[in-house]
Amino acid sequence: QVQLVESGGGLVQPGGSLRLSCAASGSIFNNYAMGWYRQVPGMQRDMVADSTSDNSTNYADSVKGRFTISRDNAKMTVYLQMNSLKPEDTAIYYCHLIWRGIHYWGKGTLVTVSS
C-alpha cells in the first residue's frame, strides 16, 4: 500500500521561506504524478502544485511566482519550495500522489505564516 510522509512544516514570518518534502513508499512504479494540496480547517482542500512524471507542472494562481514544485524520482520524493510566504498561506499541506488512476494522501504538515 502506498504511504506518503510529509515534513518541513512549521512557523515562519511573512515574507519568509519554507521547503516541504514528501517521501513516497510502497508498490509504486513508473508514470505517477505527485503534488501538494492545502486545507484550512472548515474549508475545502485545494490544489497548490502538481508535477507529472515528465516534470510538467501546474500551480494555483495564488502561488504562481512564489512556490516551486520539484521531484526526485529516484528517491520517490516531491518538494515544495515556498518563498515570499503570506499569512493566507497558513494551512495544513497535504502531499498527493496519483498512480494508475488512484489517489493517495499524506497525513499533512502544518504551515503557519505569522509575525
Side-chain angles (χ1 to χ4, degrees):
Q1 188 170 143
V2 175
Q3 293 187 348
L4 304 173
V5 180
E6 304 101 331
S7 62
L11 175 64
V12 64
Q13 295 187 21
S17 298
L18 209 59
R19 185 177 179 87
L20 305 182
S21 299
C22 173
S25 63
S27 300
I28 308 174
F29 300 96
N30 297 325
N31 197 29
Y32 59 91
M34 296 185 71
W36 294 91
Y37 285 65
R38 66 186 182 187
Q39 184 175 27
V40 177
M43 302 182 67
Q44 68 179 24
R45 185 177 299 182
D46 294 323
M47 188 275 293
V48 177
D50 285 331
S51 177
T52 65
S53 59
D54 64 353
N55 216 32
S56 178
T57 58
N58 183 36
Y59 296 92
D61 288 341
S62 59
V63 306
K64 287 181 179 178
R66 299 189 297 120
F67 291 10
T68 302
I69 189 171
S70 60
R71 60 191 288 162
D72 185 334
N73 289 326
K75 296 181 178 180
M76 296 176 59
T77 300
V78 65
Y79 306 92
L80 185 67
Q81 178 65 47
M82 304 184 293
N83 299 325
S84 301
L85 283 162
K86 304 174 181 179
E88 52 263 43
D89 294 318
T90 296
I92 299 173
Y93 284 71
Y94 294 91
C95 183
H96 170 257
L97 183 150
I98 181 169
W99 178 65
R100 294 173 58 86
I102 305 298
H103 296 256
Y104 302 89
W105 298 93
K107 66 179 182 180
T109 184
L110 177 63
V111 172
T112 302
V113 185
S114 176
S115 299

